[in-house]
Amino acid sequence: MNAPSTNNRRLNLDQVVPQQGLVVEDDDDVIDIRGVAHTLWRGKWIVVICTLIAAVLGFLAVSQLEPTYRASAKVMFDIQQSNVVNIEDVLIDQQFDASELEDQIEVLRSTTLIERVIAELNLDQNPEFNPRLRPAKVTLQDRISEFVSLPPEIEEFAQNIGIIPPPPVTPDPVEAARRERLMIINNVREGLSLRPIGRSRVIEISFVSGNPRTSAQVVNTVADQYIVDQLEAKLEATRAATTWLSDRVEQLRERVQDAEQDIEAARSQSSDNTGQSKAVTEQQLQALNGALSSTRAEISRKQSTYDRLVDAVNTNRDIGAISEFRQSSLIERYRQQEDDLLLRKITLETTFSDNNPDLIRVNQQIAQVRQNITDEVGRIVTAAQLDLQSARNQENALLQQVRRLEQQLQVQSKDQIQLRQLEREAQASRVLYENFLARLKETSTQEDLQEADARVLSPAEQPLYPESQAKRRTMMLATIVGGILGIGLVFLLDRLNNTFRTPAQLEELSGETVLGVLPAIGSKVERRKVINHLREKPGSGLAEAVRNLRTSILFSNIDRTPKVVMFTSSVPREGKSTSSMLVALTSRQMGKSAIIVDCDLRLPALARLLDAKDGKPGLMSVLEGQAEINEAVYIDPETGLHVLMPRGATASASINAADVLSSRKFSDLIDKLQDMYDLVILDTPPALVVTDARIVSKLADTVVYAVHWDKTPRDAVFEGLQELRSVQAPLAGVVMTMVNEDRASRYSYSGYSYYKGKYRDYYGT
């Protein structure tokens, strides 16, 4: 036998079935629109029924509604008024603010305005708005009390335990009146509706009432009282503003007078302190600053000259290169004498020796001339130094005068700062006084020209017909809610489903390959009729599905074609025995020998299916050595199927099936059958019921796991597959049995189930 060939794919419960409408792939959330539409189309009758039920309930509800009448009026507010005292208000159009419209709506809904409407129309005497005037409703308790009266003790006990409500407490008259007033106001406010018209300054006022005349009266009265309220509020505000402005103007006039007196006093005191005005001081200071600047420039020039002369003397530079020395006539004469003496010296040196008296005298004269030049240079330097010092003394004198004037100017500036502060305060008080005086005149003029900021565009007329919009809205809302509930119910039922409805779903969740899909030929059809259907109609859809399953099984192991195939399932009645017989019958029709071994020693299904009552020995007889294989094999007279199954008393629940199936004799029997037949099919009990399937799986080349379409729970399939994987069973894949092709095509919009159900007429039947 081949080594187990397990599928490496494993269960991933985090993935959602593609047919459910939503597919979650790794980290991306993708909405499958086709899946959603397909799910809705599959449950269309649920949606239709829920919608019809909701529509009927809505119709019954609206049929109990009393007719109501709606009257409406339109009011435009924020009318631009002409201000006779301000030309800008006439020429400039103010910007419209939507928040102002909301403010006016709140004014229309205010308690004060509604109370004025109630007083104007005497709505407190109308039973529609005053519940106290309505006749009391007779309750079931009242009707029972008319015929049955309880003893006081029992009635008190019932009240204590909450069965009967206690008698109402008589409220205080003032509190009762307050509650009645609030109730009437709330009733009027509930019927009132306010709606702005687009982006205009128009408000639509509507009122709903059971009386058409009342609805029109309330709307018109609300509009009228709104305008009256505006006029009264404006007039009251104008009068209050006029009174306040008059007092304020008088206060400001006195403040302006005091400020002007303070200015004059400050000016007089400043002149007394300094003896001259600030302007004269500033002129003097400006002249001194100019002289000081010139003196400092002169000092800088003389300092430069002096430094240059001292540097020339210290460095023994040629005095002829210095302009100040060169301009001295005395130095020029001394230099001429020096030149003459030097010329004479040169002449004597060429004739006499150095000790010649004339030459010595000439040298002495040259030295004397040079000393005279040096003395004259020193006097020139000293003169430059004296000039520099004189300029500095002049600078100090000017600087003292400047500082004196600056101190005087500083004192005058402080007085001027105080004076300017007083002038600014006086000017501010004067401007404020003039503004308030102008506003007082405007307010006094406007007091006689007040007009409302709103006017009625179209008054309310008495409605001729009751309002049907509420009924239509209720019907539409009920219908929509019913449709939404129906859609929600469809998706809820789809989510609550715990079975497998498509091969893709089964393969995705189980992690095993779907080898085939076996359709059902009808509801509650006996297995014998299914076998006969395949035998009599080899071109049917069922026959094609079985041949497809057989092909998938044979090609499940490419290295070696499986000869021993085991069929099992999670729980009983999943079609595994029928599937095994169909595969065996198909093999026989294709010219291959096949035998079915019924491994369910407790409840053998094939014996009941084939009605084998010929008295021949069975599987246990072969294992016990009481019969040969040829003697125990049952050959069905109709189909020619070879079946080896437990018979008679040997098929009992008391048999230790696990020991039998795990015995060496049973293994040798399977080996012998492989030599005798091309295909050996082992029909085992369900994997979750007993351990027989796990034991027998070790003898099979491949294992086929049957799953009943739309019936077997997913957890059962997962657990059954896990049981087989735990013993390393050679799972080839799963087969979906008893598929209702019509319903399966509704559960999937692609794949085998869809096209098989959609084009089932392609087959004969």
Side-chain angles (χ1 to χ4, degrees):
M1 289 183 288
N2 295 337
S5 176
T6 59
N7 197 322
N8 291 329
R9 290 178 299 177
R10 288 296 178 260
L11 181 62
N12 187 358
L13 295 178
D14 293 333
Q15 293 178 328
V16 181
V17 185
Q19 290 76 14
Q20 302 299 324
L22 288 175
V23 180
V24 180
E25 298 178 355
D26 297 332
D27 297 332
D28 299 330
D29 295 339
V30 180
I31 299 178
D32 190 353
I33 303 299
R34 292 181 62 196
V36 172
H38 200 78
T39 302
L40 290 177
W41 179 252
R42 186 171 66 247
K44 58 183 178 297
W45 291 114
I46 297 177
V47 178
V48 170
I49 291 173
C50 291
T51 304
L52 291 177
I53 293 175
V56 171
L57 293 177
F59 175 77
L60 295 177
V62 300
S63 64
Q64 304 299 321
L65 297 177
E66 297 180 359
T68 57
Y69 297 85
R70 178 184 293 274
S72 301
K74 294 182 179 179
V75 176
M76 184 173 70
F77 88 101
D78 196 25
I79 302 174
Q80 299 296 321
Q81 300 184 20
S82 298
N83 191 343
V84 296
V85 296
N86 191 349
I87 190 64
E88 293 182 358
D89 292 344
V90 179
L91 299 178
I92 299 176
D93 186 18
Q94 298 179 357
Q95 294 292 332
F96 172 68
D97 190 358
S99 62
E100 298 178 7
L101 193 64
E102 297 178 359
D103 295 340
Q104 300 304 316
I105 290 176
E106 293 301 322
V107 172
L108 288 167
R109 294 179 59 86
S110 64
T111 302
T112 303
L113 185 63
I114 293 178
E115 284 183 335
R116 298 177 66 167
V117 173
I118 294 173
E120 182 72 18
L121 298 177
N122 296 321
L123 297 181
D124 55 341
Q125 303 300 323
N126 191 335
E128 182 179 355
F129 303 98
N130 193 346
R132 184 175 60 83
L133 302 179
R134 301 172 189 171
K137 294 183 179 180
V138 180
T139 62
L140 179 61
Q141 181 180 352
D142 296 334
R143 295 184 181 277
I144 295 175
S145 300
E146 293 178 358
F147 301 99
V148 179
S149 59
L150 297 176
E153 296 80 4
I154 298 178
E155 185 175 358
E156 181 179 2
F157 176 76
Q159 291 178 358
N160 292 334
I161 63 177
I163 298 178
I164 299 177
V169 180
T170 304
D172 181 71
V174 177
E175 180 64 20
R178 187 185 70 84
R179 292 183 180 180
E180 181 179 342
R181 181 180 66 85
L182 293 178
M183 193 173 299
I184 296 173
I185 292 173
N186 290 333
N187 290 336
V188 175
R189 186 178 284 132
E190 288 178 359
L192 183 66
S193 61
L194 306 168
R195 182 176 66 90
I197 305 300
R199 296 184 58 82
S200 66
R201 297 170 178 170
V202 180
I203 300 176
E204 183 184 56
I205 305 174
S206 303
F207 191 82
V208 178
S209 173
N211 189 324
R213 181 181 178 184
T214 302
S215 62
Q217 286 180 340
V218 171
V219 171
N220 291 327
T221 305
V222 168
D224 294 339
Q225 292 300 322
Y226 170 63
I227 295 175
V228 171
D229 179 73
Q230 280 193 334
L231 289 174
E232 292 180 352
K234 280 192 168 187
L235 185 58
E236 182 180 355
T238 303
R239 288 175 179 174
T242 302
T243 303
W244 182 81
L245 286 172
S246 299
D247 297 337
R248 187 61 176 164
V249 166
E250 183 62 25
Q251 295 174 3
L252 291 174
R253 185 183 63 79
E254 295 177 357
R255 183 185 297 179
V256 170
Q257 292 178 353
D258 296 339
E260 290 177 350
Q261 293 176 0
D262 293 339
I263 291 173
E264 294 300 328
R267 286 176 179 173
S268 177
Q269 184 179 1
S270 176
S271 298
D272 295 341
N273 292 336
T274 59
Q276 63 181 19
S277 65
K278 181 183 177 184
V280 175
T281 304
E282 288 178 347
Q283 291 177 359
Q284 294 177 353
L285 182 60
Q286 184 177 4
L288 288 175
N289 283 329
L292 181 61
S293 178
S294 300
T295 301
R296 286 177 175 174
E298 183 67 19
I299 290 173
S300 177
R301 183 180 63 78
K302 290 183 177 182
Q303 180 69 44
S304 176
T305 300
Y306 174 74
D307 293 340
R308 184 158 48 82
L309 294 177
V310 172
D311 182 68
V313 172
N314 293 334
T315 57
N316 296 321
R317 293 174 60 186
D318 184 12
I319 59 177
I322 306 302
S323 60
E324 286 78 2
F325 298 151
R326 189 172 60 251
Q327 293 173 359
S328 175
S329 59
L330 186 58
I331 293 177
E332 182 65 23
R333 189 168 56 250
Y334 287 152
R335 287 174 59 85
Q336 184 64 37
Q337 292 177 2
E338 182 183 11
D339 292 338
D340 293 340
L341 292 172
L342 290 174
L343 181 61
R344 185 179 177 186
K345 179 182 178 180
I346 294 173
T347 303
L348 292 174
E349 287 179 347
T350 57
T351 305
F352 301 103
S353 62
D354 293 339
N355 298 326
N356 185 273
D358 292 335
L359 183 60
I360 294 173
R361 186 171 52 253
V362 169
N363 289 332
Q364 291 176 350
Q365 291 176 353
I366 292 173
Q368 183 64 37
V369 169
R370 288 179 177 176
Q371 181 63 38
N372 293 335
I373 292 174
T374 302
D375 294 341
E376 184 62 23
V377 168
R379 284 191 291 269
I380 292 174
V381 172
T382 302
Q385 183 179 7
L386 293 176
D387 292 341
L388 177 61
Q389 185 63 34
S390 176
R392 287 177 177 174
N393 293 336
Q394 184 180 0
E395 178 189 16
N396 293 333
L398 291 174
L399 186 59
Q400 290 177 359
Q401 295 179 12
V402 168
R403 289 177 178 175
R404 181 180 59 81
L405 290 178
E406 285 179 347
Q407 292 176 356
Q408 183 178 348
L409 183 61
Q410 187 175 8
V411 174
Q412 292 177 337
S413 297
K414 290 182 179 178
D415 295 338
Q416 288 294 322
I417 291 174
Q418 183 179 4
L419 181 60
R420 285 196 298 271
Q421 179 65 26
L422 293 175
E423 290 176 349
R424 284 194 295 268
E425 292 178 358
Q427 180 64 20
S429 299
R430 190 178 300 109
V431 172
L432 191 60
Y433 169 72
E434 292 173 355
N435 290 337
F436 270 81
L437 184 60
R439 178 57 64 183
L440 177 60
K441 293 180 180 179
E442 293 177 8
T443 306
S444 300
T445 304
Q446 291 289 343
E447 186 174 349
D448 299 329
L449 299 175
Q450 291 295 337
E451 61 183 32
D453 289 341
R455 65 185 179 91
V456 178
L457 294 181
S458 58
E461 300 292 342
Q462 182 174 329
L464 301 178
Y465 304 101
E467 185 183 31
S468 59
Q469 184 178 4
K471 293 184 178 181
R472 291 197 300 269
R473 185 165 52 248
T474 303
M475 282 288 297
M476 183 179 299
L477 181 62
T479 304
I480 293 174
V481 170
I484 293 175
L485 290 177
I487 293 173
L489 183 60
V490 169
F491 283 103
L492 178 63
L493 294 176
D494 191 68
R495 288 292 182 182
L496 291 178
N497 178 264
N498 193 34
T499 62
F500 296 98
R501 289 176 172 174
T502 64
Q505 182 183 18
L506 176 58
E507 185 168 338
E508 183 74 19
L509 295 180
S510 66
E512 298 293 340
T513 304
V514 176
L515 300 175
V517 178
L518 302 183
I521 62 174
S523 59
K524 298 182 180 180
V525 178
E526 295 181 358
R527 286 182 287 185
R528 188 69 185 186
K529 294 182 179 180
V530 176
I531 302 300
N532 294 334
H533 180 86
L534 177 66
R535 181 172 56 84
E536 296 171 359
K537 299 179 179 180
S540 63
L542 175 62
E544 290 295 334
V546 175
R547 283 192 287 270
N548 178 66
L549 173 61
R550 178 181 178 276
T551 302
S552 299
I553 294 173
L554 295 179
F555 283 93
S556 61
N557 192 335
I558 301 177
D559 297 332
R560 178 183 176 185
T561 301
K563 294 194 65 177
V564 180
V565 180
M566 187 187 90
F567 279 82
T568 187
S569 62
S570 303
V571 292
R573 290 179 291 277
E574 292 197 65
K576 60 176 181 56
S577 299
T578 305
S579 301
S580 61
M581 295 186 67
L582 293 175
V583 172
L585 182 59
T586 301
S587 297
R588 181 173 176 80
Q589 291 176 348
M590 299 180 68
K592 300 293 183 179
S593 61
I595 185 172
I596 303 173
V597 180
D598 189 354
C599 300
D600 193 348
L601 304 182
R602 300 173 180 83
L603 297 173
L606 297 181
R608 296 192 301 273
L609 174 62
L610 299 175
D611 194 19
K613 298 180 179 179
D614 53 3
K616 290 185 177 182
L619 174 61
M620 293 303 299
S621 299
V622 175
L623 295 176
E624 294 173 356
Q626 299 177 1
E628 296 295 332
I629 295 177
N630 296 332
E631 298 175 355
V633 172
Y634 174 79
I635 301 176
D636 184 44
E638 296 182 4
T639 61
L641 287 176
H642 290 214
V643 182
L644 181 59
M645 53 190 171
R647 295 198 187 187
T650 60
S652 174
S654 61
I655 298 177
N656 192 340
D659 293 341
V660 174
L661 297 176
S662 61
S663 63
R664 181 65 181 176
K665 294 182 178 181
F666 186 77
S667 176
D668 295 340
L669 173 62
I670 300 303
D671 293 339
K672 293 179 181 179
L673 292 176
Q674 290 187 65
D675 298 334
M676 299 172 60
Y677 295 91
D678 296 326
L679 181 63
V680 178
I681 299 177
L682 306 179
D683 183 15
T684 63
L688 294 182
V689 179
V690 291
T691 61
D692 298 359
R694 286 183 289 173
I695 296 174
V696 178
S697 64
K698 297 181 179 181
L699 305 177
D701 295 334
T702 187
V703 176
V704 180
Y705 200 90
V707 178
H708 192 170
W709 177 84
D710 198 22
K711 184 175 181 181
T712 307
R714 297 178 186 177
D715 294 339
V717 175
F718 300 153
E719 188 174 350
L721 291 174
Q722 186 61 33
E723 291 287 340
L724 294 176
R725 293 190 185 111
S726 64
V727 296
Q728 298 182 351
L731 280 169
V734 294
V735 57
M736 186 172 282
T737 62
M738 291 178 277
V739 178
N740 187 323
E741 294 180 338
D742 292 333
R743 291 179 58 195
S745 63
R746 294 197 298 269
Y747 286 117
S748 177
Y749 54 84
S750 62
Y752 175 82
S753 299
Y754 171 76
Y755 294 107
K756 189 69 185 302
K758 189 174 181 65
Y759 302 105
R760 60 179 305 179
D761 294 339
Y762 176 80
Y763 302 101
T765 53

